[in-house]
């Protein structure tokens, strides 16, 4: 087998056939077959299918590189969010990562807990421990319902009073009952709201108050959706003074009382 420059005539002498090909100039040397008679066979043509196959191979070889760059980019974005106090990958949810929270009784505990300090720009009265799914539901409710409902009351919503969050216990602390969603990091209880003008609106006193009843009932109703369970003053004697929100899901749909 001999090497000749692509496009060279077979009649050229040995010196011409072995001439170096300049980078970016003539076509690269290609292997050609020599027939028994001594004639040089023409090189195979570069077909469209050959070029497509070569490009396909190149793209396949670059896929791991593209994936690694994407992962690195996402990691940098998450680091920037954490530097700004964001958790759960959402700048609107501020707090800190807690990690695994073991339960003292079977059924309790959280694998990837966070402590939420503010949601959608509204501070919580205490850092509430929960999982990110519940934090996301809280954010959705705060943005779509709580803030709009209080927008014309005392200058708007300033902060939210948390009555309970993670606690390894049974439902309503009753002996022998099932583990509460609080014990799984999926629940938060809210007992009141502070307005920009300093006024405080409690669920207990505001539920039937002429000035705040409509806003509180709106918030209670619109929590049904982001949360799987919503309980309020009309649910039972255990919830007369607060809203209970949790992200449990049922086959029959949401449970709102």
């Amino acid at each position: 087998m001999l090497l000749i420059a692509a496009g060279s005539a077979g009649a050229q002498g040995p010196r011409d056939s072995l001439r170096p090909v300049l980078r970016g100039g003539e076509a690269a040397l290609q292997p050609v077959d020599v027939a028994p008679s001594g004639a040089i066979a023409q090189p195979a043509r570069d077909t469209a299918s050959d070029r497509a196959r070569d490009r396909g191979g190149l793209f396949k070889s670059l896929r791991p590189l593209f994936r690694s760059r994407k992962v690195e980019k996402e990691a940098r974005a998450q680091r920037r969010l954490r530097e700004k106090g964001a958790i759960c990958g959402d700048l609107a949810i501020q707090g800190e990562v807690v990690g695994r929270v073991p339960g003292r009784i079977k059924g309790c505990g959280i694998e990837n807990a966070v402590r939420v300090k503010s949601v959608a720009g509204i501070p919580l009265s205490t850092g509430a421990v929960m999982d990110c799914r519940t934090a996301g539901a809280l954010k959705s409710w705060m943005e779509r319902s709580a803030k709009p409902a209080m927008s014309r009351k005392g200058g708007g919503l300033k902060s939210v009073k948390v009555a309970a969050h993670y606690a390894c216990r049974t439902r309503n602390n009753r002996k022998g009952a099932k583990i509460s969603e609080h014990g799984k990091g999926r629940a938060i209880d809210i007992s009141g709201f502070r307005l920009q003008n300093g006024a405080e609106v409690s669920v207990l006193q505001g539920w039937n108050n002429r000035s705040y009843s409509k806003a509180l009932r709106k918030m209670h109703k619109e929590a049904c959706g982001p949360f799987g369970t919503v309980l309020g003053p009309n649910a039972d004697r255990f919830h007369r003074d607060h809203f209970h929100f949790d992200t449990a899901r049922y086959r029959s749909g949401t449970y709102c009382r």
Side-chain angles (χ1 to χ4, degrees):
M1 180 178 289
L2 297 179
L3 295 175
I4 67 169
S8 299
Q12 291 178 316
R15 180 176 299 175
D16 292 334
S17 65
L18 296 177
R19 182 182 302 162
V21 178
L22 296 176
R23 189 185 301 269
E26 299 180 35
L29 295 177
Q30 299 181 12
V32 297
D33 295 327
V34 179
S37 62
I40 299 177
Q42 293 296 324
R45 294 183 179 180
D46 182 17
T47 64
S49 60
D50 292 334
R51 292 192 296 273
R53 183 170 59 253
D54 292 342
R55 287 196 298 270
L58 176 62
F59 291 151
K60 288 180 181 178
S61 67
L62 290 176
R63 282 175 186 168
L65 178 61
F66 292 152
R67 284 196 294 267
S68 64
R69 287 180 177 176
K70 182 179 179 181
V71 171
E72 184 179 350
K73 184 178 179 181
E74 291 175 349
R76 287 198 302 269
Q78 290 298 319
R79 284 196 296 270
R80 286 195 293 269
L81 286 174
R82 287 195 294 270
E83 288 171 359
K84 296 178 180 179
I87 52 176
C88 301
D90 194 330
L91 195 58
I93 306 174
Q94 296 280 312
E96 59 187 12
V97 175
V98 175
R100 184 174 182 274
V101 177
R104 58 182 177 80
I105 58 176
K106 186 178 180 180
C108 285
I110 315 172
E111 282 302 316
N112 298 294
V114 293
R115 181 175 284 104
V116 181
K117 296 181 179 179
S118 72
V119 180
I122 304 299
L124 305 184
S125 62
T126 186
V129 176
M130 62 189 74
D131 61 17
C132 279
R133 179 180 177 183
T134 305
L138 183 62
K139 171 204 162 185
S140 178
W141 171 76
M142 196 77 77
E143 289 181 337
R144 300 177 185 180
S145 183
K147 290 172 70 175
M150 289 294 191
S151 62
R152 298 184 180 181
K153 305 292 183 182
L157 187 60
K158 183 176 182 179
S159 64
V160 171
K161 186 175 182 181
V162 176
H165 47 104
Y166 174 75
C168 185
R169 61 174 176 79
T170 58
R171 293 179 182 177
N172 301 316
N173 290 301
R174 290 180 295 181
K175 186 176 181 180
K178 293 181 178 180
I179 296 296
S180 168
E181 293 303 312
H182 285 282
K184 303 172 185 178
R186 302 174 186 170
I188 184 170
D189 289 352
I190 295 174
S191 61
F193 307 88
R194 180 184 291 273
L195 305 180
Q196 293 291 345
N197 65 0
E200 293 189 3
V201 182
S202 70
V203 173
L204 179 63
Q205 296 179 353
W207 186 251
N208 292 313
N209 183 284
R210 181 179 300 178
S211 299
Y212 302 110
S213 178
K214 186 176 180 179
L216 291 176
R217 290 168 189 267
K218 175 181 173 66
M219 285 190 281
H220 174 270
K221 180 179 179 180
E222 293 178 349
C224 195
F227 293 98
T229 307
V230 176
L231 302 175
N234 291 342
D236 53 40
R237 64 186 179 88
F238 298 105
H239 298 89
R240 290 180 57 199
D241 61 352
H242 68 274
F243 294 148
H244 168 90
F245 300 151
D246 71 52
T247 52
R249 296 292 172 180
Y250 309 97
R251 292 181 179 180
S252 58
T254 54
Y255 183 86
C256 306
R257 297 288 185 272

